[in-house]
Amino acid sequence: MNFQTQRTGRHARESIVFALLRAATYAILLCGTLIVGTIAFKGAPVLFKPSFPFINTTFLTSAPETLHVFEYDGRKMELGDREYRAFRGKLAADAAANPHSEIRIPHSEQSYVYSAGGIFPCIVGTLFLVTGSMVLALFFGVSSAIYLNEYARQNAVTRLIRLAILNLAGVPSIVFGLFGFGLFVIFLGWNVSLMAGWFTLAFMVLPVVITASEEALKAVPRGYREASLALGATRWQTIRKSVLPYALPGILTSSILGIARVAGETAPIMFTAAYVVRDQLPWQVAKLGDFLFQGVMALPYHIYVVSTKIPQNEYTERVQYGSTLVFLILVALIAAASILLRNRLRKKHQW
Amino acid sequence: MVSAPAAISSDSQTTTRMSAGNITFFPPQPASPASDGPGSESRAPGLIEIAGLDFYYGEKKALDGINLSIEANRVTAFIGPSGCGKSTLLRCLNRMNDLIEDAGIRRGSIKIGGADINARGVDPIELRKRIGMVFQKSNPFPKSIYENIAYGLRIQGFKNKAEIDSRVEASLRNAALWNEVNDRLHDNALGLSGGQQQRLCIARALAVEPQVILMDEPCSALDPIATAKIEELIHELKKRYTIIIVTHSMQQAARVSDRTAFFYLGRLVEYGGTRAIFMNPSNPQTEAYVSGRFG
Amino acid sequence: MKTRSNETAPENEAAATPPPDGTNPGAHSPFAGSRSPLAPDSAQAVRRSLAARGIRAFFGSTALVSLLILTLITIFLFREGLPFFGASQREIALYRQAGLEYIDILRRAETGHIGLVRQLSDIRLRAFQHFVETGHLAVSDANARLAAFDNFADRFSDAIGPVRGLVSDIGEAATGIKTRAAVENDKAIQRQQLLDAGKASEAGQIKIEPVDFQKEIKPILDTLPACRDALRSTADELRAILAAAPSFDGRSLAARMETFQKRARAYIAALPGIENELSGWTPSEPVRWHASIVSFLTGREWITASFWQDWYGILPLFTGSLLASLIALAIAVPFGVGAAIYTSQVAARREQSLIKPAIEFISALPSVVLGFFGIAVLGELLRSLSQSPWLDWLPGFPIIERLNALTAGCLLALISMPTIFTLAEDALTNVPRALREASFALGASRLQTTLRIITPAALSGIISAVLLGFGRVIGETMVVLLCAGNRIAIPDFSAGPAVVTQPVHTMTGIIAQEMGEVVRGSTHYRALFVVGMTLFILSLAINYAAQKILRRYRLPSA
């Protein structure tokens, strides 16, 4: 018998189609790589420097400042607001001490808002926002999942809850922003504050956390529960001792990955938590209440502000790319942390 | 079964004997007028010749030195406990195992009609067009009954509507399904009963007129009545096709097959006329299995 | 036992004493049932069963949170949004009562004329270029050749003078009425607030003089004969001017002149219609009850903080959102579904384990980062690419605006791609293995099996993946806010496929852009909430459709 290929066109057609599909796949990956690559390439000079300590600590640890660009002594000077004032002060003092010298106090020829200094308050604000919303989302999300997976039976109520979760997942983030604004900021009178941002973000990620947690709970073998119940443990003991520890790694990874994703959302915090600029750092408050009810600067919002709300020029590029790169790194770190955490928990509870 | 005991004992002599640990191959005996078995068996070189076949899933050896000669226009049954490699061997015959990553033949050869099916230049697709297969679970496509059968024909390059129509009808008749479905050819195939679905799958395999039909436990998911119908069908089909059937049910093997191969732990333990294997197995493991002591 | 801490108490008790039958929430389980013969009756057992109930109730209530949130979202969107329709209705009523509507009718004559004048100056520009570039005339000579045309154009453009004068005169009167009505309304609100606060005497000091629209509108209505005269004289004059229109030798210029004349004549013919509308207009005619809903849903203009009249029409925003999303899907569907097919059907396992996390990683890119990339890199990149001569044949190229629907669409595509990819890949992978094998066993090739068996079988999953991807992009805010160009106008679909290079504004973008700047409680503020409501309802509808398709056409698991 002869099993050789009969029609030769088939192979060619097949490989062309598959090559096209493959090209489409890698085109997507290439786009992602290009975007991250561009940002890393242009942001790296802001964030890193060739000499010790290799990291631009000013950018990471100081607040945004206005950049003054002027000519002095025939040299072009670029100074941040504080340095510029100190510089002028010194010149003025020199001039006062030496009335005959020809020290002229330069006038700021050009000033560029937010283009000097760093983004420390934004980093801090984002971290506070993410941590708070993460705690809230995990609390509500994991509890909901426990109820749905461990306690509830299939009935009208659970069906309704599942429907709500499904639909909540599709609600646009800006609508969450409007909702947070309407409920927390106005109705509850929390104003633009950390609390309002926490709840808005937490509610937004809730569907992700619930789904992830449910999947992790489902993955714990039934036998664990049955063995525990058979030993006379109550349902809650069973959940706490024989289910949660094993589900926790899964819950944490997928939830935190989800949370890292929405931590990058700008729309929900625009009207609920983010300030364009704020001089105090979050811990510079008189009492705890003030801490919860203060607005913060946030990195994503800052990126939005510096890329649209201020005049664009050669000096703004620095802060734009720098902030974006820091933001990307931050999101990646949160994701990496969740994976590390999972690995540690896995080791502890192997199954 | 009304054969005389003498015939059975003579059948046992033609049984290819091998111990579980031994991989020596006893070539099929040259053509000698065999008075055993149903019908007239000839000992011409088989349609399918398997020699020294080793098959691996990753690093796990699934088939170990299989030597087997399968004759044309017979029903050959593969039996053995779960995991013995009988399905794997079946799927080697139409190279379905190509679809599994890291799995493959490391040694040995399979020849069908004299051609090595694993040779360079062999197109598994051409191979599969001539070797039909019916699966354990009926797997009709989520299309109409008609389209299910026409699919294979279109794959083969049939374009003429009238020809496709007549082939669909012929294969449905051959699969003894025509009378049950001729008034609803364009209904979804998933609406058929389990037994009908399986016969549809057989019809689908028949439509492309293969030389060999592989059946991988075709009745394991069916009730006894549906099973009986399929077994009847197999009897009909063996007039024109070479059929290899993997089955868990020893009764079924005894009922439908002419020759039976018993596998255990990836090895061919015993191969011979069905009656000989069941009535007078030469290997103690075969005996233990067919008498129901394990498996 | 008495010294043990509260925290560990329930466990120990639980281990010691099973619950009485019936009080245990888990009584339906065989484990609970098997304990009942032991029937303990201690106070501990009662306490513990209460604790178990409490725990269950706690988890149950947290599960209700999602339901609660959905309800709260609905409530608060509607709470802040619904009053829009009342306020808008009042504004539309005032628009009529103060005579603004009357003037807008008259103004249509002016706007039409402006369009014609613009066409004339376009013709002049082309004629000038024609003379200088192909006729090799000096600039002064070219201008001299165009003197007759300029004269014609000037006369044509001046002919609208009477109408324009009227519009600006009575326009002031009408805005005056409107302002006074607004002031009186504010006073009324202030007084009401004072009364509510119990300051009756202070409230008494606020004198409200309701605007007598009948009286105030009189002067405006009295201009009707003047309007009529102005329109007629304009028509006559235009007709006279057109009769003496200059002509060009050049073929294309002559053709342009021809179209201009045709349009101008159509314009003149429409003027009596405006006149009729003016005489038929009555300020006292009540506004229809659904006027605000109609004007929101079908309004072609979104004009805010205008001295004249604010309009909140969602159409420009909706079409903008739709255009950007459709561009995104046009890119994302072939790529996303193609990649899903490749990954699930063709790629080896090792390749899969590279592709899947990479796409996961793309889905984790924050949208503001993509938006920034668009504004900083992609917009300029696309524009400079579009200026290269060998891409000239593409519609809309070269691109004029750096930020437009296409820029936003490209990035939105990247946002929807992971959603589409992941869900479609799931659907394809979940096609029963048996179907794949059956097809292969019939001698079908991988391509045939993929295209004829697997993809059709997964189609419902793929469609719902595309729908959810659509939901994802239409709700996306930052990318469109940063990259779509934010021009509030219905894209000009007459431009054909080139429409994709026009800047647009979107529903999500407008909320993000304007919410921070509006006065709380104003009509504008409420309008933004209604846009939010629209988005919310849209997202629910898309979700519903996706679920429905998934469930309706799911393969029965054979």
Side-chain angles (χ1 to χ4, degrees):
Chain A
M1 263 189 250
N2 174 21
F3 300 123
Q4 311 295 314
T5 306
Q6 308 275 305
R7 284 182 297 155
T8 45
R10 205 198 63 222
H11 274 297
R13 204 163 53 234
E14 185 164 307
S15 20
I16 288 170
V17 173
F18 285 159
L20 279 178
L21 290 176
R22 187 185 198 145
T25 311
Y26 285 96
I28 300 175
L29 305 192
L30 186 70
C31 285
T33 320
L34 276 182
I35 290 176
V36 176
T38 311
I39 290 164
F41 181 72
K42 292 215 179 177
V46 183
L47 199 53
F48 304 104
K49 51 187 185 185
S51 58
F52 186 81
F54 303 109
I55 287 178
N56 185 345
T57 43
T58 330
F59 188 68
L60 289 180
T61 58
S62 59
E65 284 177 43
T66 303
L67 178 72
H68 295 270
V69 179
F70 56 93
E71 260 182 48
Y72 178 72
D73 259 0
R75 277 181 304 139
K76 195 173 174 193
M77 306 278 284
E78 291 173 21
L79 289 182
D81 200 35
R82 264 178 301 165
E83 286 176 353
Y84 177 64
R85 266 184 231 166
F87 181 73
R88 283 188 59 162
K90 188 174 147 283
L91 284 188
D94 286 355
N98 263 0
H100 302 293
S101 73
E102 292 197 8
I103 296 173
R104 283 179 302 111
I105 296 174
H107 290 284
S108 174
E109 290 180 20
Q110 293 292 327
S111 63
Y112 303 100
V113 69
Y114 303 137
S115 296
I119 50 168
F120 184 58
C122 310
I123 299 177
V124 168
T126 297
L127 285 178
F128 273 111
L129 273 174
V130 172
T131 319
S133 54
M134 205 185 281
V135 169
L136 282 173
L138 281 176
F139 172 75
F140 285 115
V142 175
S143 312
S144 296
I146 289 178
Y147 179 76
L148 288 174
N149 201 54
E150 306 292 326
Y151 282 100
R153 267 163 285 172
Q154 281 304 316
N155 57 28
V157 177
T158 49
R159 261 201 302 280
L160 206 60
I161 292 173
R162 281 180 203 284
L163 197 70
I165 294 169
L166 212 62
N167 282 312
L168 218 49
V171 173
S173 56
I174 189 85
V175 172
F176 271 100
L178 275 182
F179 155 71
F181 182 69
L183 173 61
F184 304 122
V185 177
I186 294 181
F187 185 73
L188 295 177
W190 293 354
N191 290 325
V192 172
S193 63
L194 263 182
M195 278 272 276
W198 283 347
F199 275 94
T200 310
L201 282 177
F203 286 175
M204 191 170 141
V205 291
L206 202 55
V208 179
V209 178
I210 294 177
T211 317
S213 310
E214 255 207 283
E215 248 156 53
L217 286 172
K218 279 210 185 88
V220 176
R222 262 197 86 72
Y224 287 29
R225 296 180 181 88
E226 288 171 355
S228 168
L229 287 171
L231 287 171
T234 63
R235 205 155 265 267
W236 170 232
Q237 288 168 325
T238 304
I239 292 167
R240 233 183 60 186
K241 300 270 167 163
S242 326
V243 178
L244 267 188
Y246 306 102
L248 213 53
I251 291 177
L252 285 180
T253 333
S254 351
S255 312
I256 296 179
L257 280 178
I259 290 167
R261 197 151 85 203
V262 295
E265 283 283 0
T266 320
I269 58 170
M270 278 175 110
F271 338 118
T272 55
Y275 278 165
V276 176
V277 63
R278 187 163 187 270
D279 290 335
Q280 284 91 28
L281 288 164
W283 49 81
Q284 291 169 335
V285 287
K287 55 183 199 292
L288 184 71
D290 291 350
F291 176 76
L292 294 178
F293 294 105
Q294 63 178 337
V296 291
M297 292 182 77
L299 256 181
Y301 191 57
H302 191 65
I303 294 171
Y304 165 62
V305 170
V306 296
S307 54
T308 58
K309 295 268 172 164
I310 60 173
Q312 304 295 301
N313 53 60
E314 63 212 281
Y315 299 103
T316 45
E317 215 173 69
R318 194 185 83 92
V319 63
Q320 289 170 353
Y321 280 102
S323 317
T324 312
L325 180 60
V326 170
F327 185 43
L328 274 182
I329 293 175
L330 204 66
V331 171
L333 280 182
I334 295 173
S338 79
I339 291 167
L340 277 181
L341 192 65
R342 174 191 60 181
N343 289 349
R344 281 194 56 172
L345 287 173
R346 276 257 169 92
K347 234 173 256 166
K348 218 170 119 194
H349 298 281
Q350 230 142 27
W351 56 287
Chain B
M1 295 281 161
V2 284
S3 312
I8 295 168
S9 66
S10 82
D11 188 87
S12 74
Q13 284 158 10
T14 62
T15 301
T16 307
R17 291 185 188 191
M18 52 189 72
S19 68
N22 192 350
I23 47 168
T24 49
F25 175 52
F26 291 80
Q29 295 181 357
S32 64
S35 57
D36 55 329
S40 61
E41 270 186 34
S42 66
R43 282 285 174 268
L47 176 68
I48 301 174
E49 296 284 348
I50 302 166
L53 193 74
D54 285 1
F55 186 90
Y56 285 79
Y57 288 113
E59 284 311 305
K60 190 180 164 288
K61 200 174 197 174
L63 291 176
D64 187 357
I66 304 292
N67 291 301
L68 194 61
S69 171
I70 293 165
E71 291 152 46
N73 292 75
R74 292 291 165 90
V75 178
T76 306
F78 290 180
I79 61 167
S82 301
C84 67
K86 54 191 190 300
S87 284
T88 303
L89 180 61
L90 191 76
R91 297 165 68 97
C92 280
L93 297 180
N94 65 347
R95 287 183 58 179
M96 283 300 272
N97 288 326
D98 289 13
L99 306 176
I100 302 166
E101 272 180 54
D102 308 328
I105 293 166
R106 295 259 178 98
R107 209 163 61 81
S109 71
I110 301 173
K111 286 188 175 140
I112 298 182
D116 186 346
I117 63 164
N118 291 304
R120 191 186 291 269
V122 165
D123 187 348
I125 285 159
E126 289 303 325
L127 172 71
R128 290 184 200 132
K129 284 178 181 172
R130 312 234 198 116
I131 314 252
M133 186 165 191
V134 177
F135 295 83
Q136 181 169 7
K137 242 173 145 186
S138 63
N139 51 1
F141 300 125
K143 301 170 182 257
S144 70
I145 294 169
Y146 178 90
E147 279 302 321
N148 257 284
I149 297 172
Y151 175 77
L153 295 169
R154 296 216 173 93
I155 292 292
Q156 301 258 21
F158 284 84
K159 296 230 161 62
N160 185 335
K161 172 97 169 63
E163 196 174 357
I164 294 179
D165 282 352
S166 70
R167 285 233 189 184
V168 167
E169 181 178 341
S171 54
L172 280 173
R173 281 189 194 283
N174 285 341
L177 195 60
W178 176 253
N179 293 334
E180 292 166 53
V181 300
N182 62 9
D183 54 342
R184 47 177 173 144
L185 285 179
H186 296 282
D187 288 7
N188 197 314
L190 298 174
L192 295 174
S193 75
Q196 286 173 325
Q197 285 190 7
Q198 193 61 296
R199 274 181 286 147
L200 176 66
C201 292
I202 295 175
R204 185 173 65 188
L206 295 180
V208 297
E209 299 192 338
Q211 275 124 328
V212 180
I213 299 178
L214 310 176
M215 296 188 171
D216 190 356
E217 301 188 35
C219 303
S220 66
L222 301 181
D223 60 72
I225 295 172
T227 303
K229 279 195 176 162
I230 297 222
E231 287 176 3
E232 209 173 294
L233 180 60
I234 292 173
H235 267 296
E236 279 302 309
L237 291 176
K238 79 170 180 190
K239 290 172 193 156
R240 275 171 298 149
Y241 302 96
T242 303
I243 295 173
I244 302 169
I245 179 168
V246 164
T247 176
H248 252 118
S249 150
M250 279 164 292
Q251 289 86 342
Q252 185 171 59
R255 281 194 301 263
V256 302
S257 70
D258 303 319
R259 295 181 70 79
T260 295
F262 172 61
F263 292 85
Y264 184 57
L265 296 175
R267 296 200 172 115
L268 176 61
V269 177
E270 192 165 353
Y271 176 49
T274 298
R275 219 164 312 161
I277 292 274
F278 280 91
M279 302 289 196
N280 193 8
S282 55
N283 188 294
Q285 278 172 327
T286 316
E287 191 185 358
Y289 183 71
V290 297
S291 60
R293 284 210 291 276
F294 80 100
Chain C
M1 285 293 263
K2 276 172 190 158
T3 55
R4 72 192 169 195
S5 75
N6 275 335
E7 201 204 2
T8 57
E11 290 167 27
N12 297 338
E13 285 168 331
T17 50
D21 198 14
T23 54
N24 182 4
H28 62 279
S29 84
F31 305 106
S34 65
R35 288 191 205 131
S36 55
L38 297 175
D41 58 349
S42 67
Q44 274 186 346
V46 174
R47 230 169 57 217
R48 205 188 29 59
S49 97
L50 276 178
R53 270 197 217 172
I55 291 167
R56 185 191 155 88
F58 162 75
F59 285 124
S61 58
T62 56
L64 286 174
V65 165
S66 351
L67 202 57
L68 183 75
I69 297 169
L70 203 63
T71 323
L72 282 177
I73 292 179
T74 320
I75 292 174
F76 275 87
L77 285 183
F78 280 70
R79 192 181 103 107
E80 299 291 321
L82 278 188
F84 162 78
F85 293 104
S88 164
Q89 188 86 12
R90 280 193 295 281
E91 281 188 8
I92 293 171
L94 184 60
Y95 172 69
R96 176 167 292 172
Q97 285 173 320
L100 297 168
E101 190 179 31
Y102 178 81
I103 296 157
D104 273 342
I105 296 174
L106 185 59
R107 190 175 275 159
R108 262 189 283 160
E110 202 189 334
T111 0
H113 183 264
I114 291 173
L116 290 169
V117 170
R118 211 170 278 154
Q119 205 179 347
L120 275 183
S121 58
D122 179 55
I123 292 177
R124 191 195 188 277
L125 186 72
R126 280 166 196 277
F128 182 78
Q129 276 173 351
H130 176 74
F131 290 148
V132 172
E133 280 164 23
T134 40
H136 302 293
L137 288 181
V139 172
S140 55
D141 290 344
N143 278 334
R145 283 273 294 271
L146 282 166
F149 181 85
D150 286 346
N151 181 27
F152 162 76
D154 286 347
R155 280 176 57 211
F156 190 93
S157 132
D158 290 344
I160 198 71
V163 175
R164 184 172 290 160
L166 266 173
V167 165
S168 84
D169 286 350
I170 52 178
E172 268 167 40
T175 45
I177 302 174
K178 190 183 166 186
T179 315
R180 232 169 305 141
V183 169
E184 296 304 325
N185 192 30
D186 285 350
K187 277 199 215 159
I189 292 170
Q190 200 184 348
R191 192 168 74 164
Q192 193 55 45
Q193 280 172 347
L194 287 173
L195 282 176
D196 289 347
K199 297 173 183 166
S201 61
E202 286 173 52
Q205 283 174 359
I206 296 176
K207 294 275 177 290
I208 297 173
E209 304 159 38
V211 181
D212 181 0
F213 288 107
Q214 294 263 313
K215 197 180 109 223
E216 300 272 352
I217 197 97
K218 193 95 191 359
I220 295 180
L221 284 177
D222 287 346
T223 59
L224 185 61
C227 293
R228 201 173 281 158
D229 289 346
L231 286 172
R232 283 184 191 167
S233 70
T234 303
D236 290 342
E237 202 177 338
L238 287 177
R239 232 174 261 130
I241 297 169
L242 274 182
S247 59
F248 289 101
D249 298 335
R251 226 227 218 114
S252 75
L253 285 174
R256 273 174 201 283
M257 212 46 205
E258 187 72 18
T259 26
F260 167 76
Q261 292 226 13
K262 218 179 275 169
R263 273 187 58 189
R265 257 179 247 120
Y267 165 74
I268 294 167
L271 286 180
I274 291 178
E275 201 185 302
N276 284 342
E277 259 190 79
L278 283 177
S279 25
W281 183 80
T282 44
S284 52
E285 192 185 319
V287 175
R288 283 166 306 160
W289 63 271
H290 55 273
S292 62
I293 301 173
V294 171
S295 98
F296 177 78
L297 289 179
T298 65
R300 302 170 65 87
E301 281 175 307
W302 179 280
I303 298 170
T304 55
S306 151
F307 79 97
W308 183 256
Q309 175 74 12
D310 289 354
W311 290 111
Y312 305 99
I314 201 172
L315 272 190
L317 308 173
F318 183 76
T319 47
S321 280
L322 206 61
L323 181 64
S325 307
L326 289 182
I327 295 171
L329 286 190
I331 301 170
V333 169
F335 278 88
V337 175
I341 291 176
Y342 178 77
T343 311
S344 67
Q345 303 301 318
V346 187
R349 209 172 301 146
R350 287 183 66 181
E351 203 175 359
Q352 282 180 1
S353 65
L354 164 81
I355 294 169
K356 285 189 185 175
I359 296 222
E360 179 93 347
F361 161 77
I362 288 175
S363 80
L365 283 180
S367 61
V368 71
V369 170
L370 292 178
F372 166 68
F373 180 80
I375 214 169
V377 183
L378 186 69
E380 198 48 55
L381 189 77
L382 278 179
R383 187 163 65 173
S384 53
L385 201 69
S386 78
Q387 274 151 359
S388 65
W390 56 83
L391 286 175
D392 226 20
W393 53 274
L394 280 169
F397 277 34
I399 298 171
I400 304 149
E401 297 283 343
R402 182 169 61 100
L403 301 176
N404 55 50
L406 183 66
T407 319
C410 289
L411 291 163
L412 286 178
L414 202 63
I415 284 184
S416 61
M417 213 106 69
T419 310
I420 295 177
F421 171 84
T422 314
L423 296 173
E425 209 262 342
D426 264 4
L428 287 162
T429 312
N430 287 339
V431 171
R433 239 183 101 84
L435 293 186
R436 209 166 118 92
E437 293 196 332
S439 174
F440 278 124
L442 285 169
S445 67
R446 238 173 3 161
L447 184 63
Q448 286 167 327
T449 306
T450 303
L451 294 186
R452 297 201 199 174
I453 298 295
I454 295 182
T455 311
L459 200 61
S460 66
I462 294 174
I463 290 174
S464 89
V466 170
L467 265 178
L468 290 175
F470 177 65
R472 179 95 177 74
V473 288
I474 208 154
E476 170 52 44
T477 310
M478 296 319 287
V479 165
V480 288
L481 178 62
L482 287 158
C483 304
N486 296 355
R487 187 178 76 187
I488 310 178
I490 297 183
D492 179 13
F493 287 98
S494 66
V499 72
V500 301
T501 60
Q502 292 176 8
V504 294
H505 214 317
T506 53
M507 295 190 284
T508 49
I510 202 98
I511 299 175
Q513 191 181 31
E514 296 186 343
M515 197 68 204
E517 292 153 14
V518 294
V519 181
R520 265 177 219 179
S522 64
T523 317
H524 185 187
Y525 165 89
R526 304 215 179 276
L528 292 176
F529 268 92
V530 179
V531 175
M533 269 163 58
T534 315
L535 269 173
F536 180 60
I537 293 168
L538 204 62
S539 71
L540 292 189
I542 290 173
N543 233 320
Y544 176 78
Q547 297 307 323
K548 191 92 184 163
I549 289 173
L550 205 56
R551 216 166 302 154
R552 173 100 187 261
Y553 299 102
R554 187 186 293 161
L555 277 180
S557 46

